[in-house]
């Protein structure tokens, strides 16, 4: 379904939407917000620059909503069902917004605003807004004779090739953040923290170790000490902290608004799935970045 077809030059300044199942509609697709995809194409490019499920694009994984406030993305009452995006999205010639439905049974109400500003001209070196969804479920390493603590905290990763990839792009631009969600799949009564995965950002083809190499999942998202509490700040937050012993569903965000990560030719943003990639949980993410066109074509990335 086409939502908007806007002639440029201009800049989309704000998007608001809300979705609700039609009363009496079959209640067999509780993840309906993950079966509705936002697709945005700039300047008649052959592939979309934005492609993500609605809930994930607006900052929350697992097809869920909660109230939270950040600078570029917000979910507002009631229970986070007011979805807002304040990323500026300039374009030179055309902006086309579409809604793609993968729903097979559930009927929904869909309401939206797309607010934009008409401009006289744009710089030829303009960076266009991009957002890409990815997901992957990993096979855990064999614990063998290791203790639980050894399995969770020891081991080496000397290349980063098996990390979870949040973003892989070519061109010139800057990475402005991500939303990352994890489903804890490890069943144990022992310490079952899903983190300790180091973030590694490889810029312009640099070798391992990259110049941006962090110390653990919670550290990259600006939290600490295996957090169990919900938290929302302008540029980072933990919107779903998981259940007891970090079980179930987790979702968090980190925006590089004041500290953008720039690249001249290419970038790979990655994070270990557990220390040294030992854990086998389910990961999903949306990366947000700006770059000059053309961009690497991408489709829904599900591994």
């Amino acid at each position: 379904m086409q939502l908007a077809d806007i002639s440029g030059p201009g800049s989309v300044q704000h998007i608001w939407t809300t979705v609700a199942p039609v009363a009496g509609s079959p209640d067999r697709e509780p993840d309906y917000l993950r079966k509705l995809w936002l697709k945005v194409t700039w300047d008649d490019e052959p592939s979309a620059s934005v492609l993500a499920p609605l809930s994930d694009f607006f900052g929350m994984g697992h097809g869920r909503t909660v109230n939270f406030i950040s600078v570029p993305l917000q979910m507002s009452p009631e229970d986070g069902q007011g979805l807002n995006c304040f990323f500026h999205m300039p374009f030179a010639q055309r902006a086309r917004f579409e809604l793609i439905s993968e729903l097979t049974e559930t009927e929904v109400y869909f309401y939206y605003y797309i607010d934009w500003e008409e401009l006289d001209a744009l710089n030829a070196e303009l960076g266009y807004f991009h957002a890409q969804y990815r997901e992957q479920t990993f096979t855990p390493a064999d614990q063998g004779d290791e203790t639980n603590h050894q399995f969770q905290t020891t081991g080496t990763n000397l290349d980063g090739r098996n990390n979870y990839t949040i973003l892989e792009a070519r061109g010139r631009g800057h990475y402005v953040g991500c939303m990352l969600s994890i489903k804890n799949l490890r069943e144990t009564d022992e310490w079952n923290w899903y983190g300790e995965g180091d973030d590694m950002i490889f810029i312009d083809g640099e070798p391992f170790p990259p110049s941006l190499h962090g110390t653990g999942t919670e550290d990259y998202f600006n939290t600490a000490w295996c957090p169990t509490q919900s938290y929302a700040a302008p540029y980072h937050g933990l919107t779903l902290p998981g259940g007891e012993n970090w079980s179930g569903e987790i979702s968090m965000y980190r925006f590089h608004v004041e500290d953008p990560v720039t690249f001249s030719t290419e970038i790979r943003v990655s994070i270990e799935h557990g220390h040294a990639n030992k854990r086998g949980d389910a990961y999903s993410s949306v990366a947000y970045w700006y770059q000059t066109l053309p961009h690497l074509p991408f489709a829904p990335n599900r591994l």
Side-chain angles (χ1 to χ4, degrees):
M1 179 177 75
Q2 181 167 286
L3 304 178
D5 192 348
I6 309 167
S7 296
S11 179
V12 173
Q13 306 291 77
H14 171 240
I15 305 168
W16 167 88
T17 187
T18 189
V19 185
V22 174
S25 177
D27 188 21
R28 290 190 285 270
E29 294 177 287
D31 59 343
Y32 62 89
L33 284 174
R34 267 200 160 169
K35 293 186 175 182
L36 295 170
W37 289 67
L38 179 65
K39 178 181 179 181
V40 183
T41 308
W42 308 119
D43 294 358
D44 293 319
E45 280 284 295
S47 63
S49 291
V50 174
L51 190 61
L54 275 185
S55 56
D56 297 82
F57 174 81
F58 285 96
M60 172 65 67
H62 311 292
R64 296 173 60 177
T65 62
V66 298
N67 295 338
F68 81 88
I69 299 172
S70 74
V71 169
L73 300 175
Q74 299 179 12
M75 288 187 173
S76 309
E78 180 70 8
D79 296 325
Q81 294 181 90
L83 312 179
N84 290 272
C85 172
F86 293 94
F87 277 115
H88 288 189
M89 305 179 187
F91 57 96
Q93 301 170 23
R94 185 184 184 191
R96 188 179 181 204
F97 285 73
E98 300 173 80
L99 183 71
I100 300 171
S101 176
E102 295 180 337
L103 295 172
T104 58
E105 298 181 81
T106 305
E107 295 180 272
V108 297
Y109 295 110
F110 179 80
Y111 303 89
Y112 69 99
Y113 287 100
I114 298 175
D115 305 316
W116 78 93
E117 180 181 5
E118 295 180 351
L119 302 175
D120 293 329
L122 287 175
N123 190 302
E125 295 299 307
L126 173 72
Y128 285 75
F129 177 77
H130 289 69
Q132 182 189 17
Y133 174 81
R134 288 172 173 257
E135 67 177 51
Q136 186 171 1
T137 299
F138 294 94
T139 301
D142 183 7
Q143 184 170 341
D145 295 330
E146 292 183 326
T147 66
N148 184 66
H149 187 268
Q150 289 172 330
F151 179 73
Q152 296 274 87
T153 63
T154 65
T156 57
N157 176 2
L158 298 178
D159 56 26
R161 285 183 293 183
N162 293 323
N163 296 358
Y164 175 72
T165 297
I166 295 171
L167 168 63
E168 195 161 19
R170 294 179 187 168
R172 183 172 60 82
H174 57 282
Y175 165 64
V176 293
C178 71
M179 183 283 300
L180 178 68
S181 295
I182 301 170
K183 187 171 184 179
N184 191 328
L185 300 179
R186 188 163 185 255
E187 297 181 2
T188 178
D189 292 330
E190 297 185 277
W191 185 63
N192 197 22
W193 165 239
Y194 58 85
E196 301 312 320
D198 296 353
D199 54 291
M200 304 180 194
I201 302 179
F202 298 83
I203 300 171
D204 297 339
E206 65 182 336
F208 185 91
S211 53
L212 295 175
H213 188 169
T215 57
T217 310
E218 72 271 39
D219 305 331
Y220 173 70
F221 288 92
N222 290 337
T223 61
W225 299 108
C226 311
T228 61
Q229 303 165 346
S230 298
Y231 181 76
Y235 302 130
H236 70 281
L238 179 60
T239 47
L240 286 177
E244 184 178 353
N245 201 14
W246 303 281
S247 61
E249 297 174 340
I250 298 100
S251 195
M252 61 201 89
Y253 62 87
R254 168 75 159 93
F255 297 123
H256 295 265
V257 175
E258 304 293 343
D259 56 340
V261 181
T262 60
F263 55 97
S264 297
T265 59
E266 62 183 90
I267 188 171
R268 180 181 177 232
V269 180
S270 72
I271 194 165
E272 293 177 316
H273 43 99
H275 181 72
N277 291 322
K278 283 185 167 183
R279 288 191 58 105
D281 299 311
Y283 277 61
S284 59
S285 61
V286 175
Y288 309 93
W289 77 101
Y290 290 84
Q291 73 162 88
T292 54
L293 297 179
H295 64 90
L296 278 179
F298 52 80
N301 191 303
R302 295 163 167 162
L303 298 176

